[in-house]
Amino acid sequence: MENRMAADDTLKDKKELALETIRRLKEAYPDADCTLDYDEAWKLLVSVRLAAQCTDARVNVVVEKLYEKFPDVDALASAAPEEIEEIVRPCGLGKSKARDISACMRMLKEKYGGKVPDNFDELLKLPGVGRKSANLIMGDVFGKPAMVTDTHCIRLCNRIGLVDNLKEPARVEKELWKIIPPEEGSAFCHRLVWHGREVCTARTKPYCSRCVLNDICRYHLQGEESQ
């Protein structure tokens, strides 16, 4: 009974911390959104696959050339993976990314009539689409509850104290669903990306002195090592 009560108290504390974190990040980054450029759902699918181990800025440049040659789902579905690879090579992992994009577009064309499904489980069936990509599509394209646990989200949530020493994206996502209001999840994760790039950085020591969370963040208050 005592252990259960302690767990309930911990969850309550994390929910309160989450709500205050959301409030402050909203004030700091009111216009935060996805940093991948797209105007159609299928293009976001392509971009998020190319963004693996590559910057969003580079992806945004590369896809312009890709769409000049292959302007729609049908064109990409008909393209040989080698043709796609030639264009997307600057994003790294060109062969595997081109293969996934080709297979994904073919499935969209053949099974979904060229439309991106708005169902999470159906999205996961698409080649090259994992939980991160599926959540991004669900939140940004369809406006449904989503939790994008990318590297920024994982790093910051551990530092702040919203999760405890968790590194696996699926486990972080599961814990965040317990404390983040569903309607806030997508925007919250985008704001973590912005904050992670500007303040709570990965490659340098966090700039705690100018962080809007420094008086509630576990990393700063307890002097913990980077998660």
Side-chain angles (χ1 to χ4, degrees):
M1 180 66 73
E2 290 183 1
N3 288 340
R4 183 174 179 178
M5 291 177 62
D8 290 343
D9 288 343
T10 297
L11 184 61
K12 180 181 177 182
D13 291 343
K14 288 186 182 298
K15 285 182 177 179
E16 292 177 355
L17 177 61
L19 291 176
E20 182 60 17
T21 300
I22 289 169
R23 186 188 69 78
R24 295 189 188 192
L25 291 181
K26 274 185 178 180
E27 291 183 357
Y29 310 99
D31 302 317
D33 56 10
C34 182
T35 52
L36 291 168
D37 295 337
Y38 70 97
D39 55 12
E40 296 181 72
W42 68 270
K43 291 183 178 180
L44 184 55
L45 270 179
V46 170
S47 289
V48 73
R49 180 64 187 97
L50 293 176
Q53 299 183 40
C54 181
T55 66
D56 289 0
R58 175 170 291 183
V59 170
N60 289 338
V61 171
V62 169
V63 292
E64 290 184 9
K65 299 177 182 178
L66 184 67
Y67 301 148
E68 284 177 8
K69 188 169 184 179
F70 307 110
D72 53 37
V73 171
D74 286 354
L76 262 181
S78 300
E82 293 76 15
E83 294 181 281
I84 299 173
E85 180 186 355
E86 184 178 347
I87 298 173
V88 304
R89 189 175 293 117
C91 294
L93 305 174
K95 187 177 295 294
S96 62
K97 291 180 179 180
R99 183 181 63 243
D100 285 343
I101 289 170
S102 175
C104 182
M105 295 301 112
R106 288 200 306 271
M107 184 176 283
L108 284 184
K109 177 182 178 181
E110 296 167 4
K111 185 173 181 178
Y112 300 102
K115 303 294 184 182
V116 176
D118 62 355
N119 177 278
F120 189 82
D121 291 332
E122 292 297 310
L123 286 169
L124 290 179
K125 295 177 182 178
L126 296 171
V129 176
R131 296 189 66 85
K132 170 187 169 183
S133 302
N135 270 299
L136 186 63
I137 295 291
M138 292 297 287
D140 279 45
V141 174
F142 300 115
K144 296 186 177 183
M147 201 74 67
V148 182
T149 51
D150 65 359
T151 56
H152 292 290
C153 176
I154 293 170
R155 183 177 72 257
L156 269 64
C157 286
N158 275 284
R159 284 178 174 173
I160 294 167
L162 297 176
V163 299
D164 300 314
N165 197 32
L166 296 180
K167 304 295 176 63
E168 300 85 352
R171 291 186 65 193
V172 174
E173 179 188 339
K174 180 180 178 181
E175 292 304 307
L176 290 181
W177 279 120
K178 298 176 183 179
I179 60 175
I180 304 293
E183 69 276 9
E184 298 284 359
S186 181
F188 172 67
C189 291
H190 284 318
R191 293 187 174 104
L192 289 178
V193 171
W194 286 47
H195 194 60
R197 288 175 177 169
E198 297 182 13
V199 179
C200 198
T201 55
R203 296 184 179 180
T204 66
K205 196 171 182 179
Y207 300 102
C208 296
S209 62
R210 54 187 175 91
C211 176
V212 297
L213 305 173
N214 61 18
D215 63 318
I216 60 172
C217 172
R218 179 171 61 188
Y219 177 94
H220 182 63
L221 292 175
Q222 298 182 5
E224 291 187 5
E225 292 299 320
S226 176
Q227 301 292 332

